[in-house]
Amino acid sequence: MKSAVVVFPGINRERDMARALRLASGREPAMVWHADTALPAGTDLVVIPGGFSYGDYLRCGAIAARAPIMDAVRGFAAKGGLVLAICNGFQIACEAGLLPGVLMRNAQLRFICRDVYLRVERSDTPFTRGYNAGQVIRVPVAHGEGNYIADGETIARLESEGRVLFRYSSPDGMIDPNWNHNGAMNGIAGIINERGNVLGMMPHPENHVEASMGRTDGRGLFAGLLDHFKVAA
Amino acid sequence: MKARVTVTLKPGILDPQGKAIEGALRSLGVGGVTSVRQGKVFEIEIEGADRAGAEAALKSAAEKLLANTVIENYRIELGGQ
Amino acid sequence: MKARVTVTLKPGILDPQGKAIEGALRSLGVGGVTSVRQGKVFEIEIEGADRAGAEAALKSAAEKLLANTVIENYRIELGGQ
Amino acid sequence: MNQTLSVIPNEPAITPELIAQHGLTPEEYERIVKLLDRTPSFTELGIFSAMWNEHCSYKSSKVHLRTLPTEAPWVIQGPGENAGVIDIGDGLAVVFKMESHNHPSYIEPYQGAATGVGGILRDVFTMGARPIACLNALSFGDPKHPKTRALVAGVVAGIGGYGNSFGVPTVGGEVRFDRRYDGNCLVNAMAVGLAETDKIFYAKATGIGMPIVYLGSKTGRDGIHGATMASAEFGADAEEKRPTVQVGDPFSEKLLLEACLEIMAKGCVIAIQDMGAAGLTCSAVEMGAKGDLGVTLDLDKVPCRETGMSAYEMMLSESQERMLMVLKPDKEKEAEAIFRKWGLDFAVVGETTPSKRFVVRHGGAVVADLPIKELGDEAPVYRRPFTERGKQAEIDPASVKAPVGIAEVLEALIGSPNLCSKRWVWEQYDHVILGNTVQRPGGDAAVIRINDGPKALALTADVTPRYCEADPFEGGKQAVAEAYRNLSAVGAKPLALTDNLNFGNPERPDIMGQFVGCVRGIGAAARALDFPVVSGNVSLYNETNGRAILPTPTIGGVGLIDEFTRSMTMAFKSEGEAILVIGGTRGWLGQSLYLRELCGREDGAPPPVDLAVERRHGDFVRSLIRDGLITAAHDVSDGGLLVALVEMAIASGIGAVLEAPSEVPAHAFWFGEDQARYLVTARNVEPIMERAKAAGVPVTPLGATGGALVSISGERPLRVADLKQRFEAWLPAYMVGSH
Ligand SMILES: Nc1ncnc2c1ncn2[C@@H]1O[C@H](COP(=O)(O)OP(=O)(O)O)[C@@H](O)[C@H]1O
Ligand SMILES: [Mg+2]
């Protein structure tokens, strides 16, 4: 799996992501600068990592979404390439039109860093094949603006097309406002685009990938992607 | 030339900040406020005195960057020199 | 009654957001913008038709909550019904 | 050198009022005139006021700080640079420091706290270290004071806002409430970075004719000395020229970090200094003075954010996210390209000279020409008079029994502002970014893995101000001992500390006495525990209307763990394990929270700290952890044994069955704050008892883990779940205004 991590000024979880990719695939990802106009040849997976691109000034992800490299990312996605967009990456993907909807400020208006529970809704996508449908995983969140909203029609489409891959839940998988820390509609934590090749999610699976650090629930995502490319090859 | 671009949430879009401010004003004892919606305002200096050119530049700034037109409306006001 | 409170940074206060937006507009090819400063606007509905009362309430809202008067100025505009 | 400088039009005349507004005494001004052999220009007066104020010159504290132990075989750099540096083996060094931003945070909590974090991060990466963790120690006024809630909200949001965006995990700290901070909150921020031992960068300039480069953000009128600027001398345009609050820009700082580390790696840098307090002045003078060189600055080259800035304003501006660097001349182009790539300002603003003079030019005129060494070295040093507070009486535990039972006391304490969970605070801080957080906030010390391991750092911040006030010497010792204990409890060897000494007005002998006593106590403990002081910061004049804060010498401790997977936590691990208390319990209630919260009394002698015992018990606990003999460990501090035990229960959801003591009155036994104690759990008690005997360490069985209750024979049992609810509830409820 050849992955490329896009680095915008102010992005700060690129090292965490690079480590997770390296541990999963045994390969160092390419770090791609925002001002570049092309992705490295042979890229399988593009990752837009977390952080505060451009300080999250104006709107989260707004300025990064208009950076030169994003044309290349859009082109890559249009050809069916896999794009994984996490946290600030999710916000950038929405602003760039790769995914529908908007990430608004958390309902309680504060930044929240804690472990949350996610129910994995489907296991038949390249991003979630490392999990079972209905499985509950525990991964951290760290964001101030992760409150997913979209108009009624969009939400209805996302739901009817099974495009919600991760939902905030209780430890036993119940969808419950008490376990939805940011107020996202329908507990939405992660969605894919229509074609199923772009995933945006707020939580950080890349921070839970090492047994020695205590938790490994994030591994499934990276292992699944690796598997996907192995099978494809 | 001075200009101002005001960006506000479209009607119907939930505004958690505005709601929180409503609540806070109530508990501060500020009376009579029934609704608050928060938006952004950009005070912009733009070169040259060509109003039409400036207006076009501002429209493009608003469309391309300042507003997320999925959820926001914008309004442009051009000032004098 | 509709009202609007506009909150802007005092002159001289650093505006990192405005600075980042300036840079982004430049690289998007929006011409001629020499300075951007970002502020907030609050669109407020207030009960009753007593303008003086409304004005007092808005002033108190701005002072107590909407503006951080250490670094921000505010302006109140009262609309019609 | 009896020259006069060119007269700058519109500069105010040097009057006694102007001198006083600059915080200089008539004697200090005389000293300046003598040194120069002429009257200083307005800009020069500003430069002197910046260099000779308490913050830069440490004039009240210097003679006392010199007594602190600062050396150990593992210390690479002690106090005197931007941050302290210690060797942790494998060619790696840890760079750390703590600094206050008290007054700015009180004026504008969000920006004040944010820029405090920004400043301390800059101190660390200026030395070539990549920041890997932050801590923060916060002191607020009475929860009932009308300003407190907004200060808490703003300060916490500001610390998070800066650290989260910059991309460093904020992993520890403390939060206290006391009416003595009503008019003066304290915001102490600590940053910790990692560098290679052979790639540490210092402020000392070398070489003549080397370019001095200005890096980072542009200069504005931020934070210029308020009293001066408020003077009417500026005429009609005063409003325009008003000094402004510093606003943090973590985005620019993140770029500055990456750019600095990149040019350091490329070998472009001779010397580097961040612009902190008194910005350009302090940084340029320090670089030159340390290298025995002169410096010439050309202010026309300084990137400015505003038009019409005077030399005075530029020299005193405290705009954030700026650096000054001496570059290798042949690397100038390379360095500039790196800075441009990161979108930062880069300008050659001066050069080093052989003259040992600090020369500042602006608009074609020389606006300052000062002897560079004397600016720093000749700063006044005061031995301020001080009076030491007499020892307080010991309190007989039997004489201060609250009218309620042990269970009620426990319920009250665990849900009290100072002992309740600070989760509401640390959940606003990204504490997992960088993927190396082994122990998150909520334990005794945070544990941060170094790179991919196996080593890890343990980090803590501690002080008990009410002890410091009652007995400054014991309080100073206790702050260091508690940091030592917190590190030991997670299995770390304490290596070095940074101190942040927050006090009132040093010109008052009683306050100076607090300072002197605390510093002596810190020194004694640091020496006895082999825990040297490698960096620090002094914040004086924290008082309002003659009412000073509690003396608050915050200690930031750093310890090393060889194998991160073996760090110890405080949660009970399973049912049926023995609970042991290490260390003796006399039931010391003087200055305890029991006394304060339950009896409404704030008196008596605080618990004495026996440093030899501290060291022995610390060594003992670490050896138990290293040899895998215990399953959990927690130090006993504020609130005493039962509070510590309940924290272990809450962390695990497992209860405990405890035996009542026989020798000490129950309330004093459970809530006394005797020092040098730890609670541990073990499956097998025998080997621990044997070792304890051999080491001369008192170890007492307390009971066993298990069940859903904390029960003490003869007392009302309490559900762990209910205690947890109380522990977690107070702060969030307070912040929404429900009490
Ligand atoms: N301001 C803060 N920032 C981060 N963590 C904090 C803060 N205040 C308290 N904590 C965390 O809460 C826990 C308990 O703090 P405290 O009661 O001061 O511990 P101790 O008494 O062991 O020093 C610690 O893990 C500490 O790091
Ligand atoms: Mg502790």
Side-chain angles (χ1 to χ4, degrees):
Chain A
M1 177 170 80
K2 267 185 85 173
S3 33
V5 177
V6 186
V7 182
F8 299 95
I11 281 292
N12 59 27
R13 254 186 174 80
E14 76 278 14
R15 288 156 200 275
D16 309 37
M17 180 53 76
R19 177 192 260 150
L21 290 166
R22 182 176 67 239
L23 290 172
S25 70
R27 238 179 135 135
E28 222 29 87
M31 303 308 257
V32 181
W33 188 236
H34 67 110
D36 290 350
T37 49
L39 294 163
T43 296
D44 296 314
L45 172 73
V46 170
V47 183
I48 316 179
F52 284 69
S53 59
Y54 298 92
D56 274 358
Y57 299 146
L58 184 61
R59 296 181 306 276
C60 299
I63 300 179
R66 279 107 185 138
I69 191 64
M70 287 308 292
D71 286 332
V73 174
R74 265 184 291 259
F76 178 80
K79 290 205 211 85
L82 293 193
V83 178
L84 171 60
I86 291 190
C87 197
N88 197 213
F90 188 8
Q91 295 161 339
I92 294 168
C94 289
E95 280 279 348
L98 286 166
L99 292 168
V102 184
L103 294 143
M104 301 274 280
R105 276 193 80 180
N106 294 350
Q108 25 48 350
L109 304 180
R110 290 192 306 277
F111 186 97
I112 290 284
C113 176
R114 68 163 71 130
D115 280 2
V116 299
Y117 296 94
L118 301 181
R119 191 172 76 194
V120 183
E121 300 291 59
R122 287 171 59 179
S123 63
D124 58 343
T125 77
F127 301 104
T128 52
R129 56 188 290 157
Y131 299 111
N132 298 319
Q135 185 180 343
V136 176
I137 62 171
R138 176 177 165 167
V139 285
V141 291
H143 58 245
E145 310 197 18
N147 178 354
Y148 184 82
I149 68 158
D151 58 61
E153 198 181 320
T154 305
I155 295 286
R157 272 194 67 188
L158 287 173
E159 293 292 0
S160 68
E161 293 168 8
R163 285 164 54 194
V164 178
L165 295 197
F166 298 101
R167 236 185 268 275
Y168 303 116
S169 77
S170 70
D172 51 7
M174 302 307 291
I175 305 307
D176 173 341
N178 290 323
W179 293 91
N180 177 351
H181 66 283
N182 64 21
M185 282 179 154
N186 296 10
I188 291 174
I191 56 168
I192 46 175
N193 62 344
E194 229 177 302
R195 191 166 168 178
N197 63 324
V198 178
L199 166 66
M201 67 189 293
M202 287 313 297
H204 292 287
E206 75 275 21
N207 280 130
H208 275 182
V209 292
E210 290 177 275
S212 62
M213 293 293 290
R215 295 206 172 264
T216 55
D217 285 9
R219 259 190 206 165
L221 186 135
F222 299 96
L225 284 165
L226 200 69
D227 226 35
H228 167 81
F229 289 112
K230 270 204 197 109
V231 173
Chain B
M1 197 159 9
K2 283 191 195 305
R4 182 202 316 253
V5 178
T6 310
V7 174
T8 48
L9 280 176
K10 290 187 176 168
I13 302 276
L14 194 72
D15 176 13
Q17 305 202 56
K19 277 268 165 284
I21 291 165
E22 262 172 59
L25 286 178
R26 213 164 301 126
S27 58
L28 282 173
V30 175
V33 171
T34 55
S35 133
V36 178
R37 289 179 69 79
Q38 179 170 344
K40 300 182 188 126
V41 50
F42 303 92
E43 308 201 318
I44 299 181
E45 299 255 8
I46 193 157
E47 263 168 3
D50 163 14
R51 290 183 73 88
E55 203 141 355
L58 290 167
K59 186 159 170 12
S60 130
E63 291 276 342
K64 281 188 185 164
L65 185 68
L66 300 180
N68 177 349
T69 52
V70 177
I71 50 166
E72 294 169 328
N73 291 324
Y74 66 88
R75 196 176 62 241
I76 295 171
E77 294 155 278
L78 262 183
Q81 260 300 358
Chain C
M1 200 162 5
K2 280 191 198 306
R4 182 202 318 251
V5 178
T6 308
V7 175
T8 50
L9 281 174
K10 290 186 177 173
I13 297 275
L14 175 70
D15 178 13
Q17 306 216 50
K19 210 170 66 175
I21 294 165
E22 255 171 66
L25 288 177
R26 212 169 301 127
S27 53
L28 281 172
V30 174
V33 171
T34 55
S35 137
V36 178
R37 289 181 66 83
Q38 180 171 341
K40 297 180 196 135
V41 50
F42 300 91
E43 309 202 317
I44 298 180
E45 299 258 6
I46 193 159
E47 262 168 3
D50 164 16
R51 288 182 77 86
E55 204 142 350
L58 290 168
K59 187 158 171 7
S60 131
E63 293 275 344
K64 284 188 186 163
L65 188 68
L66 303 179
N68 174 354
T69 51
V70 179
I71 56 173
E72 292 169 331
N73 292 326
Y74 65 89
R75 197 175 61 242
I76 294 172
E77 294 156 279
L78 261 184
Q81 261 299 0
Chain D
M1 192 80 43
N2 198 352
Q3 85 203 50
T4 33
L5 300 183
S6 358
V7 177
I8 311 296
N10 300 328
E11 281 205 340
I14 312 290
T15 61
E17 293 74 43
L18 192 70
I19 292 163
Q21 281 163 359
H22 278 77
L24 293 163
T25 64
E27 296 75 38
E28 287 169 347
Y29 180 70
E30 275 316 305
R31 202 179 170 113
I32 294 171
V33 173
K34 221 167 107 198
L35 223 136
L36 296 183
D37 203 9
R38 61 172 166 80
T39 308
S41 70
F42 179 55
T43 304
E44 287 175 336
L45 186 72
I47 291 173
F48 271 104
S49 82
M51 291 299 299
W52 286 13
N53 75 8
E54 194 62 60
H55 191 91
C56 284
S57 72
Y58 288 85
K59 59 190 171 191
S60 301
S61 56
K62 215 175 201 160
V63 292
H64 304 285
L65 296 178
R66 282 200 196 111
T67 65
L68 292 171
T70 60
E71 286 173 7
W74 54 89
V75 173
I76 296 177
Q77 174 68 51
E81 279 283 340
N82 284 306
V85 185
I86 56 174
D87 192 337
I88 55 162
D90 311 323
L92 293 175
V94 173
V95 178
F96 66 100
K97 187 173 185 229
M98 188 172 351
E99 200 160 82
S100 61
H101 228 211
N102 302 336
H103 191 62
S105 301
Y106 189 76
I107 301 294
E108 206 318 271
Y110 184 97
Q111 296 298 345
T115 50
V117 173
I120 195 65
L121 283 166
R122 258 186 330 277
D123 275 333
V124 161
F125 71 78
T126 302
M127 300 202 70
R130 182 174 280 280
I132 58 170
C134 278
L135 290 89
N136 60 107
L138 312 176
S139 304
F140 297 106
D142 189 329
K144 294 193 184 71
H145 188 280
K147 281 198 82 152
T148 302
R149 189 177 288 112
L151 285 170
V152 175
V155 163
V156 170
I159 290 171
Y162 207 100
N164 298 344
S165 172
F166 180 82
V168 66
T170 301
V171 293
E174 43 174 14
V175 181
R176 74 175 54 82
F177 296 89
D178 191 297
R179 67 190 150 75
R180 296 283 297 281
Y181 303 99
D182 278 355
N184 300 81
C185 64
L186 301 184
V187 175
N188 294 177
M190 171 167 163
V192 182
L194 192 63
E196 290 171 35
T197 40
D198 57 354
K199 294 205 185 69
I200 313 271
F201 291 83
Y202 298 97
K204 177 182 163 182
T206 54
I208 289 164
M210 298 295 162
I212 295 178
V213 181
Y214 172 112
L215 308 167
S217 299
K218 290 181 177 19
T219 297
R221 291 190 175 96
D222 314 290
I224 297 166
H225 193 261
T228 338
M229 300 303 290
S231 85
E233 319 278 352
F234 292 99
D237 55 354
E239 187 56 34
E240 286 297 294
K241 286 193 174 173
R242 266 287 220 7
T244 58
V245 168
Q246 306 157 32
V247 169
D249 180 1
F251 171 59
S252 291
E253 179 127 316
K254 163 81 169 151
L255 304 182
L256 193 57
L257 162 77
E258 299 297 344
C260 284
L261 294 185
E262 199 171 324
I263 67 168
M264 285 166 169
K266 294 248 162 73
C268 304
V269 179
I270 295 175
I272 176 165
Q273 174 72 17
D274 76 301
M275 291 190 227
L280 200 47
T281 295
C282 269
S283 53
V285 169
E286 242 166 76
M287 288 179 115
K290 282 195 167 138
D292 279 326
L293 292 168
V295 165
T296 297
L297 293 181
D298 181 357
L299 297 185
D300 298 331
K301 305 267 171 60
V302 170
C304 285
R305 199 170 78 221
E306 295 175 61
T307 52
M309 285 190 66
S310 68
Y312 179 96
E313 291 171 324
M314 276 190 247
M315 291 310 291
L316 296 193
S317 161
E318 293 189 347
S319 289
Q320 300 287 300
E321 292 89 25
R322 303 180 300 161
M323 293 275 192
L324 209 58
M325 202 177 269
V326 181
L327 273 185
K328 295 187 182 153
D330 55 322
K331 300 276 193 180
E332 199 181 304
K333 285 279 152 316
E334 194 177 345
E336 177 162 4
I338 291 169
F339 270 79
R340 299 273 177 241
K341 176 182 105 183
W342 289 101
L344 295 165
D345 271 299
F346 177 104
V348 177
V349 296
E351 61 170 7
T352 57
T353 67
S355 71
K356 296 198 192 171
R357 293 197 71 83
F358 183 48
V359 178
V360 182
R361 286 180 219 281
H362 187 223
V366 171
V367 293
D369 183 349
L370 303 168
I372 201 162
K373 297 286 285 182
E374 286 79 353
L375 254 178
D377 296 350
E378 292 296 313
V381 172
Y382 296 124
R383 290 185 176 276
R384 296 201 188 274
F386 62 91
T387 50
E388 279 181 275
R389 186 169 183 190
K391 293 278 175 199
Q392 308 295 297
E394 279 186 35
I395 285 185
D396 171 11
S399 72
V400 286
K401 193 166 180 311
V404 291
I406 300 296
E408 288 72 36
V409 175
L410 179 59
E411 285 174 332
L413 284 181
I414 204 73
S416 69
N418 285 298
L419 290 177
C420 70
S421 168
K422 303 304 182 304
R423 179 185 303 274
W424 185 92
V425 172
W426 50 257
E427 277 196 343
Q428 293 185 60
Y429 305 152
D430 189 339
H431 48 265
V432 299
I433 186 168
L434 305 183
N436 286 329
T437 308
V438 179
Q439 284 198 39
R440 300 182 182 192
D444 281 332
V447 177
I448 301 294
R449 177 173 66 170
I450 293 165
N451 295 329
D452 291 316
K455 286 184 178 169
L457 293 181
L459 308 169
T460 184
D462 298 279
V463 61
T464 312
R466 55 183 199 282
Y467 296 173
C468 293
E469 182 168 67
D471 185 336
F473 180 66
E474 287 301 322
K477 278 160 66 184
Q478 196 275 343
V480 175
E482 187 173 344
Y484 179 88
R485 230 178 285 148
N486 276 317
L487 299 176
S488 298
V490 299
K493 166 108 186 64
L495 286 185
L497 63 87
T498 180
D499 60 49
N500 198 154
L501 309 176
N502 308 274
F503 291 81
N505 181 353
E507 293 162 41
R508 282 172 39 195
D510 55 328
I511 300 290
M512 198 59 208
Q514 293 176 344
F515 183 84
V516 173
C518 284
V519 170
R520 275 179 42 231
I522 291 168
R527 218 168 273 120
L529 300 172
D530 244 338
F531 194 24
V533 180
V534 296
S535 57
N537 173 249
V538 177
S539 169
L540 301 174
Y541 300 96
N542 293 290
E543 58 179 61
T544 305
N545 301 331
R547 184 116 172 101
I549 57 162
L550 287 173
T552 311
T554 312
I555 302 298
V558 175
L560 187 64
I561 297 175
D562 289 329
E563 169 56 58
F564 77 90
T565 55
R566 308 190 60 166
S567 83
M568 184 51 62
T569 62
M570 71 175 188
F572 291 151
K573 299 303 179 301
S574 62
E575 312 236 337
E577 296 189 2
I579 303 170
L580 307 172
V581 55
I582 292 171
T585 301
R586 286 169 57 190
W588 197 283
L589 288 177
Q591 298 298 336
S592 66
L593 283 180
Y594 174 89
L595 200 60
R596 179 173 128 170
E597 301 289 319
L598 276 301
C599 311
R601 286 176 54 175
E602 303 180 37
D603 61 341
V609 180
D610 182 329
L611 295 166
V613 169
E614 273 304 340
R615 185 168 178 149
R616 194 174 330 128
H617 295 186
D619 289 345
F620 183 68
V621 168
R622 264 179 272 118
S623 84
L624 297 181
I625 294 170
R626 186 191 58 226
D627 297 339
L629 293 178
I630 55 177
T631 50
H634 186 21
D635 84 297
V636 180
S637 56
D638 267 4
L641 267 186
L642 197 53
V643 166
L645 183 129
V646 162
E647 286 169 350
M648 298 171 87
I650 288 172
S652 59
I654 299 172
V657 179
L658 306 170
E659 283 140 41
S662 52
E663 273 138 47
V664 179
H667 69 288
F669 179 80
W670 292 119
F671 303 111
E673 296 182 1
D674 305 69
Q675 298 294 296
R677 293 184 301 165
Y678 300 80
L679 277 168
V680 301
T681 58
R683 299 199 177 109
N684 189 358
V685 175
E686 276 317 302
I688 298 175
M689 290 308 201
E690 271 165 37
R691 277 194 191 203
K693 203 177 225 168
V697 174
V699 176
T700 320
L702 209 59
T705 64
L709 305 173
V710 170
S711 49
I712 303 173
S713 48
E715 304 288 345
R716 175 166 62 90
L718 295 168
R719 283 164 38 100
V720 176
D722 293 342
L723 289 167
K724 178 172 182 158
Q725 149 66 22
R726 278 176 192 275
F727 180 62
E728 294 292 352
W730 187 85
L731 192 49
Y734 172 66
M735 291 311 296
V736 297
S738 37
H739 54 75

